[in-house]
Amino acid sequence: MKNRLRLPSLSSFGTSWSAKGRVAVLAAAVVALLLLAGVVAVVSGKGDDHRAPQTAAPAPASSPSASETAPEPSTGSGSVPKPPQIAEPVAYARAAAQMLWSYDTRDTSRDQQLAGMRAWITAESTYADWASVSGQVPDPVLWSRMADQDQHATASVTEGHYPSAFKQALADDPSAITEAYIYVVTVNGKQQIAWKKGGGGAEERAVTLAVQCRPNQDCSLAAIAPNVTQ
């Protein structure tokens, strides 16, 4: 296991949500929910579940800038799947988590990975936290090292659910969500990682996502929370 360059869920390189840009993703949508400690925890601090890649080489360079933009669509999206046409928050979050935990450096460049992930993000800039998504992707040097090892991963999702704090807050004030229709969903699953010469391994994964699902529209991803909230 020590020789692999692990990319766990494309997440450990992410930046935490700032008080201005990140909290706005949920605050603008469910202002009342942010008054609850359980939901505030979703959008504050750094995640404990996101682990840095393990490698025998020196520590990788710092993560991409939060201002990094997605490559133009002309670059293609490689093995990154297109977002599904789903109008139910939990179902969409399950699909998004599976996408985040899957990658293939054998046929997908870093630019293609970013372009593919960008297609999942809501087009409403007020609520889209692209930095929390693009920050999941390792820097170009590490991606290149992973590609040298043919590193790739597949994922399976075991379940998805609304965290208890979100459900309680929504029950207390159902109208709070009707401005932006952003839902907090936690997804659990497993990631299978493989590389050259038969190397591989499996790890349990969990992620909390902010998913936008307006009435009569397909859902989209708004942000990835730095903490996993069950």
Side-chain angles (χ1 to χ4, degrees), residues 14-31:
T15 55
S16 61
W17 287 350
S18 68
K20 294 181 180 179
R22 311 298 185 263
V23 174
V25 174
L26 295 181
V30 283
V31 176

Side-chain angles (χ1 to χ4, degrees), residues 132-179:
S132 71
V133 179
S134 65
Q136 313 297 299
V137 181
D139 61 62
V141 173
L142 181 53
W143 188 272
S144 177
R145 292 177 179 175
M146 293 166 59
D148 289 342
Q149 296 298 316
D150 291 343
Q151 188 166 322
H152 54 284
T154 58
S156 59
V157 170
T158 55
E159 66 87 35
H161 65 275
Y162 298 121
S164 58
F166 178 82
K167 290 192 295 183
Q168 183 59 55
L170 192 58
D172 291 343
D173 187 1
S175 66
I177 204 168
T178 58
E179 179 178 342

Side-chain angles (χ1 to χ4, degrees), residues 95-162:
Q98 187 168 24
M99 179 273 294
L100 292 169
W101 296 332
S102 304
Y103 60 89
D104 195 337
T105 64
R106 298 171 300 179
D107 59 13
T108 305
S109 68
R110 182 175 179 274
D111 280 354
Q112 287 176 320
Q113 187 73 32
L114 287 168
M117 294 167 69
R118 185 65 181 86
W120 290 68
I121 301 297
T122 176
E124 297 184 38
S125 59
T126 301
Y127 309 115
D129 183 11
W130 171 238
S132 71
V133 179
S134 65
Q136 313 297 299
V137 181
D139 61 62
V141 173
L142 181 53
W143 188 272
S144 177
R145 292 177 179 175
M146 293 166 59
D148 289 342
Q149 296 298 316
D150 291 343
Q151 188 166 322
H152 54 284
T154 58
S156 59
V157 170
T158 55
E159 66 87 35
H161 65 275
Y162 298 121

Side-chain angles (χ1 to χ4, degrees), residues 8-69:
S9 71
L10 296 182
S11 62
S12 58
F13 297 84
T15 55
S16 61
W17 287 350
S18 68
K20 294 181 180 179
R22 311 298 185 263
V23 174
V25 174
L26 295 181
V30 283
V31 176
L33 305 189
L34 291 182
L35 299 179
L36 296 174
V39 177
V40 171
V42 174
V43 293
S44 62
K46 295 182 178 180
D48 297 326
D49 182 73
H50 300 155
R51 292 165 247 164
Q54 302 299 312
T55 171
S62 59
S63 62
S65 167
S67 61
E68 180 176 18
T69 58

